[in-house]
Amino acid sequence: MCGIFGYLGPRQATSILLDGLRRLEYRGYDSTGIVIKNGSFEIHKKVGKVGELESVLPNRIEGTAGIAHTRWATHGVVSDENAHPHPSAKGKVVIVHNGIIENSRQLRTSLTVQGVDLQSDTDSEALAHIIERELSVDNDPEQAVRRTLRLARGTWGLCAMFLEHDVIVCARNGSPLIIGKGEGEMFVSSDPHALTPYTQRVVFLEDGEIATLTNDKMSLSTLKGKNFNPDITVLEENWGDSDLGEFPHFMLKEIYEQPDALRHCISGRLDRVRGNGRLGGLKLEPRDLAKVPHVRLLGCGTAYNAAEIGQLMIEKLARIPAVAHISSEFRHNDPVINPNALHFAVTQSGETADTLSAVKEIHLKGGSVYGVVNVVGSSIARECGKGVYIHSGPEQAVASTKAFSNMVAALSMFALQVGRSRATSKEQGREIINGLQEIPHLIEEYLEQQGPIHEAVDMVKNAKSVLFLGRGISAPVAKEGALKLMEIAYIPCLAYPAGEMKHGPIALLEEGSPVIFIAPNDHVKVKTISAMHECKARGAKIILIHEEGDDIASEADISISIPRVHPLLSPLLTVIPTQLIAYHTALALGCDVDRPRNLAKSVTVE
Ligand code: F6R
């Protein structure tokens, strides 16, 4: 989604800003822009990729201060005019903004009444004009931003530059902004990992905070005007390999990284002797876990699918109620929060606005939330203050793969931990631990022998729609497979628990309709196979993902076998063929696999 990268220092800014923009690209965007200050503001904006912006830039732009932006349209179509940065009417202020200004209609109307000629359809532009108006009051950039934001309602990660002042003023409310402190230079970014090539010393702005940056100083204050000292965090340099290496796409690279990512996730977190999980970051003792009345898990998209698997694992091992919620619905349904219950916020980016709002809602109502998060130091990780990092390393493809696996693995370790405090025996615990430790190797084995993925691709690539069915713990895997194929190959996909198929989706089946079944060797396999027969009887073509050596392979049109796996951990294997089918189908259809249209990696608006 929208990204910000800013620089203020002794070096020429343009190449630093373009490099910063490239590091933000993976988040998904539709247009870009840059402003460099060199006596005046030199602004360039372009619909399309960073490369397209570069192609319209003059050979050399002098200037040692600037801000760059990637836009993901919310208000106003995708156009050069609507791209950021936005200058103010008299050209004294220029801003970039992430988030949504909810009262922008009123602000724009009052500006128009005051005679301001708005140049874009965005909610953001109004801020530039109001800051300029407020600057005329006392010529104080920070106060001008403060007074402007007091008039605004909504969310912002905002950076403003001033023609007559050598500062960048930054403000955060609900949209991340991180200040990077170099030697005699300052950086600002909406993504901490875009900063690490330049500095590891960062300050995460919190909601309601303002930072005024000069080359060598940052002054921090609240929106109300209270000053405070910076709390510098030192980022890990080694967040992981973020280059493509020999892979053609990040998605394929990340599919192949799953075994190692899983090893990182489980390493040091399994207690073989006690048959227990050891998630230290939860700071929960067995006696606390034994009293938990229920567990609620929150997430969006892929993270929600992982949360549904977590729900089933927790109920199975701990025999306490667990339920997964879609974060974007949660807060608006005025949920009842039990302060003794455990809540988990499951998220790769740690910046998903819907999940962050759900976390805040729980906090507001006296509950506590544990993060199951990939990005260290992200907003949700910090808002929760405790939880589990899933250690997937950087996930750059918009379609989430290795983060899904590690979310499931992290939740399985929690399920084991809470299970051992209640209903799960040491022996059962050890079985799960053995199962988990084998998974990375089993995935490697499967990736060596993937089965007829390309036949499956031929079957789905021109289909009107594809139905994914699974039962029990495979029902969320079906959802995840459908989400992946839909988001990167743009094929309408439907996922249902297999038993529900006959209550509606069966009406869609025609001669040749492709149906993908997920049917590992668990207690519901027989029932899933009945659903498969019902589909076949109506002319559907079956792609079956099943465990090797079972007796059902011959019943499908295409059967893809995975190695034998512990029934509770089967999602970690069955999901892999669905990821490969999505990847190769998108490729066959000429789609942009890593950056599917309209989607963003980090969805920072509600
Ligand atoms: C799907 C996908 C999205 C995300 C969702 C939540 O491949 O990537 O559905 O899973 O936007 O994102 P996070 O996990 O960052 O909260």
Side-chain angles (χ1 to χ4, degrees):
M1 213 155 242
C2 298
I4 291 175
F5 197 90
Y7 175 75
L8 190 61
R11 294 193 260 174
Q12 289 301 319
T14 310
S15 58
I16 295 175
L17 295 181
L18 288 173
D19 179 59
L21 281 187
R22 271 186 227 100
R23 289 174 198 283
L24 298 173
E25 275 196 293
Y26 78 97
R27 298 161 66 97
Y29 65 102
D30 44 54
S31 48
T32 60
I34 190 169
V35 56
I36 302 285
K37 185 175 156 185
N38 50 14
S40 61
F41 285 133
E42 185 158 349
I43 299 175
H44 298 274
K45 315 200 273 191
K46 192 84 190 113
V47 167
K49 303 286 180 203
V50 177
E52 279 154 89
L53 174 69
E54 273 184 281
S55 70
V56 299
L57 291 183
N59 280 345
R60 191 167 167 78
I61 311 177
E62 295 288 335
T64 60
I67 326 173
H69 191 259
T70 51
R71 174 176 189 247
W72 187 87
T74 57
H75 288 60
V77 297
V78 178
S79 68
D80 292 350
E81 293 71 34
N82 287 339
H84 301 214
H86 293 290
S88 58
K90 295 183 187 139
K92 292 189 174 179
V93 176
V94 64
I95 62 116
V96 298
H97 164 238
N98 291 352
I100 292 178
I101 302 301
E102 287 164 5
N103 59 339
S104 64
R105 269 240 315 263
Q106 293 94 304
L107 297 178
R108 285 173 66 91
T109 309
S110 74
L111 284 164
T112 310
V113 170
Q114 289 160 28
V116 174
D117 187 12
L118 290 149
Q119 302 295 313
S120 76
D121 303 320
T122 64
D123 54 328
S124 311
E125 186 193 342
L127 298 177
H129 301 298
I130 302 174
I131 294 172
E132 183 173 72
R133 186 186 71 202
E134 294 300 319
L135 192 64
S136 69
V137 175
D138 52 9
N139 203 24
D140 181 333
E142 185 179 304
Q143 290 295 3
V145 169
R146 179 171 285 115
R147 285 194 293 270
T148 301
L149 292 177
R150 283 185 189 150
L151 301 174
R153 244 193 7 252
T155 54
W156 52 81
L158 173 79
C159 289
M161 282 177 83
F162 301 82
L163 199 57
E164 290 154 8
H165 302 266
D166 291 333
V167 294
I168 298 180
V169 179
C170 313
R172 171 190 165 134
N173 191 43
S175 196
L177 216 46
I178 301 102
I179 314 297
K181 186 171 177 359
E183 291 301 321
E185 55 187 357
M186 290 285 176
F187 302 83
V188 54
S189 176
S190 51
D191 185 329
H193 297 291
L195 294 170
T196 50
Y198 301 100
T199 179
Q200 274 76 54
R201 290 161 59 76
V202 303
V203 173
F204 288 92
L205 287 189
E206 300 294 345
D207 287 351
E209 290 181 357
I210 298 182
T212 300
L213 311 181
T214 60
N215 284 14
D216 47 17
K217 194 163 167 258
M218 65 174 97
S219 316
L220 300 179
S221 57
T222 63
L223 207 49
K224 289 192 176 141
K226 189 168 179 303
N227 295 321
F228 62 95
N229 291 328
D231 178 9
I232 294 199
T233 303
V234 180
L235 290 176
E236 269 178 61
E237 215 169 333
N238 194 9
W239 152 241
D241 178 11
S242 53
D243 292 329
L244 261 181
E246 301 194 333
F247 287 90
H249 300 100
F250 281 110
M251 182 176 176
L252 191 64
K253 174 176 183 257
E254 288 157 10
I255 290 173
Y256 274 81
E257 279 174 348
Q258 285 174 109
D260 277 342
L262 279 162
R263 287 185 181 104
H264 282 133
C265 182
I266 62 176
S267 161
R269 288 170 160 177
L270 295 171
D271 181 344
R272 233 172 197 297
V273 177
R274 294 188 177 79
N276 204 344
R278 198 163 46 197
L279 296 170
L282 295 181
K283 301 182 185 122
L284 284 167
E285 297 298 325
R287 64 172 177 280
D288 305 321
L289 291 171
K291 286 187 282 192
V292 170
H294 62 257
V295 179
R296 291 170 110 171
L297 306 109
L298 301 143
C300 299
T302 287
Y304 170 73
N305 295 336
E308 278 203 323
I309 294 171
Q311 159 193 329
L312 294 167
M313 288 171 163
I314 293 163
E315 289 212 337
K316 178 81 187 156
L317 294 178
R319 310 308 302 150
I320 47 170
V323 60
H325 297 268
I326 289 181
S327 311
S328 54
E329 288 290 298
F330 191 75
R331 164 166 90 98
H332 307 288
N333 293 340
D334 193 12
V336 177
I337 299 300
N338 179 339
N340 300 319
L342 293 186
H343 302 90
F344 286 90
V346 186
T347 168
Q348 187 285 128
S349 62
E351 301 296 349
T352 302
D354 291 318
T355 304
L356 184 56
S357 298
V359 172
K360 288 181 176 166
E361 171 78 7
I362 296 167
H363 282 163
L364 207 69
K365 290 181 168 169
S368 62
V369 193
Y370 297 79
V372 179
V373 179
N374 191 34
V375 178
V376 177
S378 54
S379 301
I380 294 173
R382 285 178 300 113
E383 175 73 28
C384 292
K386 51 197 181 295
V388 189
Y389 280 122
I390 63 170
H391 297 313
S392 301
E395 193 181 62
Q396 310 247 30
V398 164
S400 186
T401 52
K402 61 177 180 170
F404 170 82
S405 304
N406 280 19
M407 286 166 183
V408 171
L411 290 170
S412 74
M413 291 187 284
F414 168 72
L416 179 56
Q417 207 163 317
V418 66
R420 284 287 292 119
S421 74
R422 311 169 77 110
T424 303
S425 70
K426 194 192 288 181
E427 286 62 40
Q428 286 168 318
R430 284 184 182 146
E431 260 179 51
I432 308 250
I433 288 181
N434 290 342
L436 259 175
Q437 285 177 326
E438 274 182 9
I439 296 279
H441 171 67
L442 295 180
I443 296 178
E444 280 162 350
E445 207 175 280
Y446 170 72
L447 288 171
E448 288 283 311
Q449 286 293 333
Q450 298 176 4
I453 294 291
H454 290 280
E455 282 178 39
V457 170
D458 286 340
M459 190 180 276
V460 301
K461 72 179 182 204
N462 296 316
K464 261 200 309 206
S465 65
V466 181
L467 183 58
F468 285 73
L469 299 173
R471 227 177 157 121
I473 208 150
S474 299
V477 179
K479 283 192 188 168
E480 177 56 11
L483 175 63
K484 219 94 303 179
L485 183 59
M486 178 178 63
E487 70 181 335
I488 63 168
Y490 316 139
I491 298 174
C493 293
L494 211 58
Y496 263 84
E500 191 66 8
M501 187 264 310
K502 55 190 178 296
H503 298 289
I506 197 165
L508 290 179
L509 298 181
E510 297 170 351
E511 198 60 39
S513 305
V515 183
I516 300 186
F517 273 91
I518 324 284
N521 279 338
D522 55 21
H523 66 292
V524 287
K525 182 174 109 178
V526 179
K527 295 262 186 237
T528 309
I529 298 309
S530 303
M532 186 173 97
H533 289 147
E534 289 157 17
C535 290
K536 276 179 73 157
R538 284 154 185 89
K541 292 283 181 211
I542 308 296
I543 298 167
L544 174 66
I545 297 171
H546 66 102
E547 283 181 38
E548 66 194 8
D550 68 9
D551 50 356
I552 56 172
S554 59
E555 303 199 29
D557 296 281
I558 296 172
S559 68
I560 299 171
S561 68
I562 51 143
R564 286 183 172 273
V565 57
H566 187 292
L568 216 50
L569 303 173
S570 66
L572 293 168
L573 263 297
T574 52
V575 78
I576 313 279
T578 69
Q579 296 170 344
L580 290 167
I581 291 171
Y583 171 77
H584 288 291
T585 305
L587 212 58
L589 294 174
C591 302
D592 186 342
V593 175
D594 284 340
R595 315 221 184 290
R597 69 181 177 214
N598 303 335
L599 283 167
K601 184 67 184 161
S602 182
V603 185
T604 49
V605 292
E606 274 186 76

